[in-house]
């Protein structure tokens, strides 16, 4: 029985470190930073121990510490343990990085306190076994993050970004509270595992359940900076670099976690899934195109995060929740590392650039590349299924794989260009084969690990088929345009389009004006 409460010790350690850092004298921040690092390291060990509990005992929920369904309880399953290990690991790295990065800052102790408080709230969120704990930790994440975003309160851009983020967070919190209330009314329980089990066994959702799923989706979209509420994420670069890395430890991707956590409820609402496909797919395309025009490293990474969060929401809309969980983990690790090393990116790029010929693909090379990539992808997919005796894969997974292979086809087009050396052709072909093999391997592994915890992918109806086809067509069109970019980039129209894209098509400015300057007027 005491082992059931083990995951709850991780946030408690970080809360203690946050209190110690907040009460420490301003001129002695270094000892508190060391204490915070120790607490984060212990939290990581607890997350690893939770994995051992899951392997040894299977999924479980600890008894409730509270009354009437309100209190603390720890859920141990594939989703919570994966997120616990991810958040604890990134948190430990960020705390270690912050100790030297902010050394000498007058408010180093306060930063450490709010950093630990944010990590504690996220750890409490991802292991929440009941709805009350989920709501409290969800709101606590937003409140503590707000203080980190305003670490430099005199910066107008930071004030605008923090104010905008607070507005969307408040709307999302209201939506989440309303969703949980409807879930309690519909399922008669505040235990998250019981709600998911009842939704899976029930077959269909009533009007109350569909409304709850829609509100959960709204909260997730606002949390993960989906179009058109993405502007705050591209403006938080005014905060210290560790904050940008911390965002990927269950903060900005908390929306994806929420959808994965209540996957059994969301998957029973086809209309909600359709909205997730549309919003997520458009956000992914929009963020990816704008990212290519950004001159600053951190801003480019921020737009990349917008695109990746859109892709994560798209995966949830397609019902590919195991892949969405895998995406959360992989993207978080990559992007946290990218932000923490962004300071030396310019120097590294300058050091590796060498003058020389560039293989520019023509239309024929691009067509050959995309046909070859798709053929290779289909061959690997069919061969993979035959070799493992796997069941028929849902069309959603094939569509998602086709989208992923478009990115590899761009590299393959360079290898098939007329001026391309043979070594480049062989290298890009190997990359294409590795991408296809890696996709199906990771997909099968994610589905196997989450079997019994996450629902199977639903069979698409006519609406879903239409959205899947439009999504693949949209991503394919953008990928082909990107591959042909060297042929039309010198055109005056392309130069003008680049300027507009570099400014995000001015949608963020339009949102500021629609809010009436609300976010800029908020006191720091």
């Amino acid at each position: 029985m005491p082992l059931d409460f083990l995951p709850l010790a991780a946030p408690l350690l970080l809360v203690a470190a946050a209190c110690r850092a907040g009460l420490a004298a301003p001129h002695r921040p270094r000892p508190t930073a060391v204490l915070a690092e120790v607490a984060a390291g212990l939290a990581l060990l607890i997350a690893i121990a939770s994995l051992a509990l899951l392997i040894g005992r299977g999924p479980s929920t600890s008894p409730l510490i509270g009354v009437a369904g309100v209190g603390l309880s720890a859920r141990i399953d594939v989703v919570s343990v994966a997120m616990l290990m991810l958040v604890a690991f990134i948190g430990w790295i960020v705390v270690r990085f912050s100790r030297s990065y902010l050394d000498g800052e007058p408010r180093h102790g306060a930063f450490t306190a709010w950093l630990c408080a944010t990590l504690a709230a996220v750890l409490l969120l991802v292991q929440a076994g009941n709805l009350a704990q989920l709501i409290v930790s969800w709101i606590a994440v937003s409140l503590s993050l707000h203080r980190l975003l305003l670490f430099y309160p005199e910066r107008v851009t930071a004030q605008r970004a923090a104010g905008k983020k607070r507005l969307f967070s408040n709307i999302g919190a209201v939506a989440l509270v309303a969703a949980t209330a409807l879930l309690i009314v519909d399922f008669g329980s505040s235990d998250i595992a019981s709600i998911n089990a009842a939704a899976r066994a029930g077959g269909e959702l009533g009007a109350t359940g569909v409304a709850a799923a829609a509100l959960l989706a709204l909260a997730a979209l606002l949390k993960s900076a989906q179009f058109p509420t993405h502007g705050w994420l591209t403006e938080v670069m005014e905060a210290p670099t560790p904050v940008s890395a911390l965002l990927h430890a269950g903060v900005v991707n908390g929306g994806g976690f929420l959808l994965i956590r209540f996957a059994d409820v969301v998957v029973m609402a086809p209309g909600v899934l359709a909205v997730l496909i549309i919003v997520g797919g458009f956000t992914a395309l929009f963020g990816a195109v704008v990212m290519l025009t950004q001159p600053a490293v951190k801003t480019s990474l921020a737009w990349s995060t917008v695109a990746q969060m859109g892709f994560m929401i798209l995966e949830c809309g397609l019902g590919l929740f195991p892949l969405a969980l895998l995406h959360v983990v992989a993207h978080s690790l990559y992007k946290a590392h990218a932000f923490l090393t962004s300071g030396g990116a310019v120097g590294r790029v300058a050091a590796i650039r060498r003058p020389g010929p560039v293989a520019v693909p023509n239309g024929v090379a691009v067509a050959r590349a995309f046909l070859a990539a798709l053929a290779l992808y289909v061959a690997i997919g069919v061969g993979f299924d035959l070799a493992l005796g796997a069941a028929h894969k849902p069309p959603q997974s094939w569509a998602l794989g086709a989208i992923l292979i478009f990115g590899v086809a761009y590299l393959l087009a360079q290898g098939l260009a007329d001026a391309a050396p043979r070594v480049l052709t062989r290298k890009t072909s190997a990359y294409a084969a590795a991408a296809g093999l890696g996709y199906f391997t990771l997909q099968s592994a994610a589905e196997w690990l989450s079997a019994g915890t996450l629902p199977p992918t639903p069979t698409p109806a006519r609406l879903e088929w239409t959205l899947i086809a439009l999504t693949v067509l949209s991503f394919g069109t953008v990928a082909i345009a990107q591959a042909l970019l060297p042929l039309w980039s010198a055109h005056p129209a392309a130069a003008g389009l680049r300027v507009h894209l570099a400014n995000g098509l001015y949608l963020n400015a339009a949102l500021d004006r629609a809010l009436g300057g609300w976010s800029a007027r908020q006191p720091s």
Side-chain angles (χ1 to χ4, degrees):
M1 184 71 68
L3 291 178
D4 293 334
F5 301 102
L6 179 63
L8 293 172
L12 292 178
L13 286 171
L14 287 164
V15 167
C19 294
R20 179 68 181 89
L23 297 174
H27 60 277
R28 296 190 61 201
R30 198 161 185 80
T32 59
V34 174
L35 179 62
E37 183 181 335
V38 172
L42 291 175
L44 177 58
L45 293 178
I46 292 172
I48 296 174
S50 300
L51 174 62
L53 285 177
L54 175 63
I55 296 174
R57 303 168 55 177
S60 64
T61 303
S62 71
L64 180 71
I65 305 176
V67 293
V70 178
L72 295 176
S73 59
R75 175 66 180 169
I76 298 179
D77 60 13
V78 171
V79 176
S80 62
V81 169
M83 293 300 297
L84 275 172
M85 296 184 64
L86 172 69
V87 174
F89 177 71
I90 294 180
W92 176 58
I93 296 297
V94 171
V95 171
R96 280 179 58 88
F97 183 87
S98 302
R99 182 156 64 93
S100 57
Y101 182 84
L102 292 172
D103 192 22
E105 285 277 357
R107 299 179 57 244
H108 188 182
F111 180 88
T112 302
W114 288 113
L115 177 63
C116 291
T118 305
L119 284 171
V122 177
L123 288 172
L124 203 61
L125 170 69
V126 299
Q127 64 177 285
N130 64 87
L131 296 177
Q133 179 179 338
L134 182 80
I135 293 173
V136 171
S137 54
W138 182 277
I139 296 174
V141 170
S142 298
L143 293 177
S144 54
L145 178 65
H146 184 77
R147 305 304 305 177
L148 291 174
L149 297 180
L150 286 175
F151 183 71
Y152 298 118
E154 70 281 358
R155 299 182 178 179
V156 177
T157 307
Q159 296 177 23
R160 184 169 60 246
K164 200 179 302 181
K165 172 65 171 67
R166 181 168 59 182
L167 171 63
F168 297 139
S169 295
N170 291 343
I171 298 174
V174 172
L176 182 60
V177 171
T180 54
L182 292 176
L183 288 174
I184 293 175
V185 170
D186 198 30
F187 295 98
S189 174
S190 64
D191 182 76
I192 295 176
S194 299
I195 291 173
N196 282 324
R200 185 178 301 188
E204 291 185 3
L205 293 179
T208 305
V210 172
L215 289 169
L216 288 172
L218 176 60
L221 293 175
L222 293 172
K223 189 75 167 181
S224 294
Q226 295 300 284
F227 180 91
T229 66
H230 59 277
W232 69 267
L233 183 57
T234 63
E235 294 178 352
V236 297
M237 298 303 102
E238 294 293 325
T241 296
V243 178
S244 303
L246 180 68
L247 286 174
H248 299 83
V251 180
V252 68
N253 44 29
F257 163 76
L258 183 67
L259 295 173
I260 297 169
R261 180 78 288 176
F262 291 97
D264 290 288
V265 177
V266 176
V267 80
M268 301 306 298
V272 174
L273 293 179
V275 172
L276 293 176
I277 293 174
I278 295 171
V279 177
F282 183 82
T283 303
L285 283 173
F286 178 68
V289 172
V290 175
M291 175 198 68
L292 298 175
T293 65
Q294 299 303 305
V297 175
K298 288 182 65 177
T299 306
S300 178
L301 290 174
W303 278 103
S304 171
T305 295
V306 171
Q308 292 292 334
M309 292 301 97
F311 205 77
M312 175 191 66
I313 296 296
L314 171 64
E315 291 167 334
C316 293
L318 292 173
L320 300 172
F321 294 101
L323 269 178
L325 179 61
L326 177 65
H327 189 173
V328 169
V329 174
H331 173 257
S332 297
L333 293 173
Y334 153 70
K335 195 55 69 66
H337 173 268
F339 271 110
L340 293 180
T341 59
S342 61
V346 176
R348 289 195 301 272
V349 171
I352 63 176
R353 286 185 66 89
R354 295 289 186 272
V358 178
V360 178
N362 53 28
V364 176
V366 171
R368 290 170 55 199
F370 277 80
L371 290 175
L374 289 175
L376 183 63
Y377 164 70
V378 171
I380 292 177
V382 173
F384 192 89
D385 281 356
L386 292 176
L388 297 183
H392 177 67
K393 291 187 178 299
Q396 292 96 320
S397 64
W398 284 97
L400 186 68
I403 293 172
L404 294 176
I405 210 68
F406 285 149
V408 180
Y410 168 72
L411 296 177
L412 194 59
Q414 294 179 322
L416 295 177
D418 294 335
R422 292 196 176 188
V423 63
L424 181 61
T425 304
R426 290 194 298 267
K427 186 178 295 186
T428 53
S429 300
Y431 288 160
L437 183 61
Y439 169 72
F440 285 111
T441 302
L442 292 174
Q443 179 202 23
S444 300
E447 291 175 348
W448 177 72
L449 290 172
S450 61
T453 300
L454 296 177
T457 303
T459 302
R462 181 178 300 177
L463 175 61
E464 287 75 20
W465 273 113
T466 303
L467 292 175
I468 290 172
L470 289 176
T471 301
V472 175
L473 180 62
S474 301
F475 277 89
T477 302
V478 172
I480 293 173
Q482 181 185 2
L484 294 174
L485 179 63
L487 301 180
W488 55 270
S489 58
H491 194 279
L497 179 61
R498 180 182 180 88
V499 173
H500 299 315
L501 289 174
N503 289 279
L505 299 181
Y506 313 100
L507 293 172
N508 198 31
L511 180 60
D512 285 338
R513 178 169 294 184
L515 296 175
W518 179 90
S519 58
R521 295 199 306 267
Q522 297 306 301
S524 59

